[in-house]
């Protein structure tokens, strides 16, 4: 039964709910009509879900409710029927122990919601770090047409007449506080000047990186990553996305048609060009795993080695996302990459990457540098390290590291948790010098659990007071995309899984050789075997609930930290209709 003269589109998924006859169809329609929709919405037009990660507990996403209204306008304009629904909002700053513990839960929740409801396509509204990869993982596993709309960065922070980057500035202020260069009262004023509008972090941290990745993958409209959250063009783009998703449904363009191996290669190269977050490594691996796209940790090094850093943004550089927007945004960067990108990759616009960015202008060469005169030369991107300390790999963000420490040999100072380190970090007698290699372990996916951003712990006060600004740090956790320092991350296998990191003792020699891509523990094999025999795994983090499920099934960082039973896709088929 239909309720208007508009013909049903044969095979449209939502029609199996809304065009059903008898009690089943009446149930499906009647309760929807309780919201005041006219019967024409059931005439076979595409039903578009708008998955919004809005929450007052996720401040970076708090405006997505309004973004959703713009998306709805576009869907109505194009002849679709928009329906907004909530997906788990992950606020990076509040969630404990870490939002990363819940990325896969968001992905699982959103996947099931998309599949179980009468949707023909979906618009994914994200912002704060994990919400972007979580929703892309979900959409990939369902396979309905999808488009992403990220919420955009905050306006630039301003303090004492200068720019301050969200996240990035806090690291520096904490060091200044520890070293006595700032007071608590000054910090309180400064923090109020940093996050001064809606939006996600406005450095090239993880949120900006993942928004850029979504755009580079072809899953969101050009310029979407850079419009500030409060810019009218953010809302114009959201409305356009609402129009576009209806077309994607009508042409049956699925995420798998867009996020191909070529698209991932483009994303990896773009990540190098923007000086993006190391978290992109984990998230892109996880998204690719949902799609069955072959992607390996080493691809992030091999594909990016000849890509210079073109974008002069904090934390690697000087400017902020607002400047990036005014300079031309991601299309200007992608145009500059020229034949480094696979121009034929399809995007949600219906055009290829090459067509999208062919005429993209650049308005500020200090923010987006020319390929021939880059902000940083090729080879300063994410390096993948291996060795007896990281048999399955580790990563380091070279652009955020001190060049003088990229080849370094020093003695280990080992802590079994960041908390244990923080307890002594201010000790003026701490046995540490500028050659020390600080090891913080049991911070991996199973260990903490959730693999928090604990790797870039602040330097010991003893070194800060001597003017030391960086030392080598090694961790099986992650580093905030807003942070900087010579920090080896994502060591795999992690200590809690019995990786060699668990066997390091204070005083051991460690050699880091980034140009040679090695990370070595200089301890004889026999001694390591003795230590392994004496090692016992830490107790499980939880005996029940999500944390138990997570630690039971989470994969290591080199595989993207997805749960082993969530890898791959299940399609959009649903079970029977009991009505
Ligand atoms: Fe949400 Fe940085 S805290 S993006």
């Amino acid at each position: 039964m239909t309720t208007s003269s508009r013909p049903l589109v044969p095979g449209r998924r939502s029609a199996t709910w809304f065009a059903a006859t008898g009690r089943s169809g009446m149930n499906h329609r009647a309760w929807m009509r309780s919201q005041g929709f006219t019967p024409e919405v059931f005439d076979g037009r595409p039903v578009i879900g708008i998955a919004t990660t809005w929450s007052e507990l996720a401040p970076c996403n708090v405006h997505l409710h309004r973004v959703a209204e713009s998306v709805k306008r576009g869907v109505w304009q194009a002849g679709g029927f928009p329906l907004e629904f909530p997906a788990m909002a992950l606020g990076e700053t509040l969630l404990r122990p870490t939002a990363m513990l819940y990325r896969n839960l968001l992905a699982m929740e959103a996947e099931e919601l998309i599949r179980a409801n009468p949707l023909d396509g979906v618009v994914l509204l994200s912002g704060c770090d994990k919400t972007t990869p979580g929703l892309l993982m979900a959409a990939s596993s369902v396979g309905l047409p999808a488009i992403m709309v990220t919420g955009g960065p905050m306006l630039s922070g301003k303090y004492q007449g200068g720019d301050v980057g969200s996240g990035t500035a806090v690291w520096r202020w904490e060091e200044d506080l520890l070293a006595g260069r700032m007071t608590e009262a000054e910090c309180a004023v400064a923090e109020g000047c940093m996050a001064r509008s809606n939006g996600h972090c406005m450095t090239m941290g993880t949120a900006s990186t993942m928004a850029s990745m979504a755009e580079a993958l072809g899953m969101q409209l050009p310029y979407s990553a850079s419009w500030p959250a409060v810019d009218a063009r953010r809302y114009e783009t959201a409305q356009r996305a609402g129009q576009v998703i209806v077309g994607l449904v009508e042409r049956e363009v699925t995420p798998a048609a867009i996020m191909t191996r070529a698209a991932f290669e483009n994303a990896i190269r773009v990540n190098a060009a923007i000086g993006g977050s190391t978290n992109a490594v984990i998230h892109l691996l996880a998204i690719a795993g949902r799609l069955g796209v072959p992607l390996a940790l080493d691809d992030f090094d091999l594909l990016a080695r000849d890509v210079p850093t073109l974008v002069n943004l904090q934390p690697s550089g000087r400017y902020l996302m607002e400047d990036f927007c005014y300079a031309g945004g991601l299309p200007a960067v992608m145009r500059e990459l020229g034949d480094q990108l696979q121009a034929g990759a399809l995007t949600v616009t219906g055009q290829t990457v090459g067509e999208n960015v062919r005429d993209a202008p650049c308005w500020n060469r200090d923010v987006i540098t020319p390929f021939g005169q880059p902000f940083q030369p090729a080879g300063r991107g994410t390096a993948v390290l291996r060795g007896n300390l990281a048999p399955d790999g580790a990563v380091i963000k070279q652009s955020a590291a001190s060049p003088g420490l990229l080849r370094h040999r020093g003695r280990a100072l080992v802590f079994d948790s960041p908390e244990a380190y923080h307890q002594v970090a201010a000790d003026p007698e701490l046995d540490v010098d500028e050659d020390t290699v600080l090891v913080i372990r049991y911070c991996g996916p199973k260990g903490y659990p959730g693999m928090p951003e604990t790797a870039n712990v602040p330097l010991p006060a003893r070194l800060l007071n001597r003017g030391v600004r960086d030392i080598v740090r090694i961790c099986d956790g992650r580093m905030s995309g807003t942070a900087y320092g010579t920090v080896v991350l994502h060591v795999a296998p992690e200590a809690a899984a019995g990786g060699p990191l668990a066997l390091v003792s204070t005083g051991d020699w460690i050699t880091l050789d980034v140009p040679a891509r090695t990370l070595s523990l200089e301890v004889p094999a026999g001694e390591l075997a003795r230590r392994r025999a004496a090692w016992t795994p830490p107790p499980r983090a939880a005996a029940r609930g999500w944390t138990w499920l997570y630690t039971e099934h989470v994969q290591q960082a080199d595989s993207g930290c997805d749960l082993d039973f969530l890898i791959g896709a299940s399609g959009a088929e649903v079970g029977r209709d009991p009505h």
Side-chain angles (χ1 to χ4, degrees):
M1 167 185 161
T2 61
T3 50
S4 86
S5 57
R6 184 169 165 162
L8 279 172
V9 177
R12 183 154 283 158
R13 187 172 183 271
S14 59
T16 66
W17 275 265
F18 295 134
T21 55
R23 189 169 58 88
S24 170
M26 285 189 280
N27 274 332
H28 296 141
R29 292 185 299 270
W31 269 261
M32 293 302 289
R33 290 180 67 178
S34 73
Q35 300 178 70
F37 293 119
T38 58
E40 289 80 16
V41 297
F42 307 120
D43 64 2
R45 67 188 69 198
V47 179
I48 306 298
I50 303 171
T52 177
T53 49
W54 172 90
S55 168
E56 289 184 339
L57 289 168
C60 307
N61 294 17
V62 80
H63 61 303
L64 291 183
H65 235 7
R66 284 190 282 120
V67 175
E69 292 305 316
S70 293
V71 174
K72 287 178 195 172
R73 287 187 205 164
V75 173
W76 287 121
Q77 274 180 318
F81 175 24
L83 292 167
E84 183 183 354
F85 65 96
M88 190 177 182
L90 303 178
E92 198 68 25
T93 53
L94 299 183
L95 279 169
R96 290 180 180 175
T98 166
M100 184 62 183
L101 179 62
Y102 305 107
R103 181 201 66 180
N104 300 336
L105 186 56
L106 161 62
M108 193 159 70
E109 182 213 28
E111 174 187 341
E112 298 303 330
L113 283 172
I114 295 167
R115 182 180 296 116
N117 277 296
L119 305 178
D120 300 305
V122 63
V123 182
L124 312 167
L125 302 192
S126 67
C128 201
D129 297 12
K130 309 302 178 292
T131 53
T132 297
L135 289 178
L136 285 175
M137 290 161 71
S140 299
S141 286
V142 181
L144 288 175
I147 188 170
M148 175 153 269
V149 180
T150 52
M154 301 171 192
L155 296 175
S156 299
K158 297 286 180 185
Y159 175 59
Q160 293 183 340
D163 282 349
V164 286
S166 48
T168 299
V170 173
W171 300 109
R172 191 159 289 120
W173 292 337
E174 184 180 44
E175 287 178 1
D176 287 346
L177 188 64
L178 279 172
R181 292 188 294 269
M182 271 179 98
T183 65
E184 291 278 5
E186 287 170 332
C187 284
V189 173
E191 74 186 26
C193 301
M194 183 175 62
R196 60 190 190 91
S197 80
N198 285 152
H200 58 66
C201 288
M202 79 321 244
T203 54
M204 189 50 82
T206 303
S208 298
T209 298
M210 290 313 300
S212 299
M213 294 298 90
E215 189 173 326
L217 283 167
M219 285 299 291
Q220 68 171 342
L221 295 174
Y223 298 100
S224 291
S226 53
W227 300 130
V230 296
D231 195 305
R233 291 165 294 181
R234 163 77 39 205
Y235 293 87
E236 184 182 328
T237 303
Q239 185 167 335
R240 187 72 64 203
Q243 298 168 349
V244 167
I245 185 63
V246 175
L248 291 172
V249 169
E250 284 169 348
R251 299 196 311 279
E252 299 182 351
V253 181
T254 65
I258 293 171
M259 289 190 281
T260 59
R261 165 82 191 186
F264 281 96
E265 291 186 5
N266 285 345
I268 289 170
R269 290 201 164 101
V270 167
N271 193 40
I274 62 176
S277 165
T278 46
N279 284 318
V281 176
I282 291 175
H283 298 321
L284 289 176
L285 285 168
I287 298 164
R290 297 299 185 100
L291 294 158
V293 172
L295 199 69
L297 179 62
D298 290 319
D299 287 329
F300 288 82
D301 196 326
L302 296 171
L303 289 165
R305 272 190 193 198
D306 53 355
V307 179
T309 307
L310 302 180
V311 174
N312 181 3
L313 250 61
Q314 296 183 33
S316 301
R318 172 180 162 196
Y319 294 101
L320 296 169
M321 286 298 286
E322 200 180 332
D323 308 303
F324 183 51
C325 173
Y326 305 148
L330 202 67
V333 178
M334 293 177 74
R335 178 186 180 183
E336 204 61 42
L337 286 174
D339 58 12
Q340 294 238 338
L341 295 185
Q342 303 212 35
L346 181 67
T347 74
V348 287
T349 63
Q351 296 193 301
T352 64
V353 163
E355 289 166 336
N356 283 349
V357 307
R358 187 173 48 211
D359 301 317
C362 177
W363 306 108
N364 187 332
R365 284 301 185 191
D366 206 27
V367 178
I368 301 172
T369 57
F371 190 87
Q373 294 173 281
F375 169 57
Q376 291 183 336
R380 295 296 312 276
T382 298
V384 175
L385 311 171
R386 290 183 192 275
N388 67 344
L389 198 46
D392 292 337
V395 304
I396 184 168
K397 184 176 179 178
Q398 297 181 84
S399 62
S402 301
L405 289 174
L406 293 177
R407 269 204 176 98
H408 182 78
R409 183 170 182 263
R411 286 191 181 275
L413 178 60
V414 182
F415 295 91
D416 283 344
S417 69
E419 293 82 2
Y421 168 71
H422 290 307
Q423 282 178 0
V424 301
D427 182 353
E429 302 301 318
L430 188 66
D431 186 13
V432 64
D433 62 30
E434 47 269 69
D435 291 330
T436 296
V437 175
L438 198 54
V439 174
I440 312 286
R441 64 188 177 191
Y442 296 103
C443 299
K446 292 177 187 291
Y448 197 78
M451 201 179 179
E453 294 177 334
T454 50
N456 52 311
V457 291
L459 265 53
R462 184 175 182 182
L463 296 183
L464 289 172
N465 291 336
R466 283 170 34 194
V468 178
R469 286 289 170 268
D470 195 11
I471 61 172
V472 173
R473 285 154 277 180
I474 298 176
C475 186
D476 45 7
R478 296 176 300 119
M479 177 169 87
S480 166
T482 62
Y484 49 88
T486 308
V487 192
V488 177
L489 313 155
H490 309 180
V491 173
E494 63 175 301
L501 197 65
L503 309 181
V504 184
S505 295
T506 290
D508 289 346
W509 286 99
I510 291 177
T511 299
L512 168 68
D513 189 339
V514 178
R517 300 297 194 263
T518 58
L519 181 65
S520 310
L521 176 64
E522 298 177 29
V523 174
E527 170 61 13
L528 283 180
R530 189 191 65 73
R531 292 183 192 177
R532 178 164 296 288
W535 180 79
T536 52
R540 292 285 296 271
R544 64 169 297 282
W546 170 252
T547 302
W548 176 85
L549 188 70
Y550 179 91
T551 53
E552 189 76 7
H553 291 282
V554 69
Q555 295 198 308
Q556 292 292 290
D558 60 301
S559 299
C561 298
D562 203 356
L563 302 190
D564 52 15
F565 63 87
L566 290 175
I567 294 165
S570 304
E573 285 298 311
V574 273
R576 295 168 294 174
D577 176 11
H579 293 110

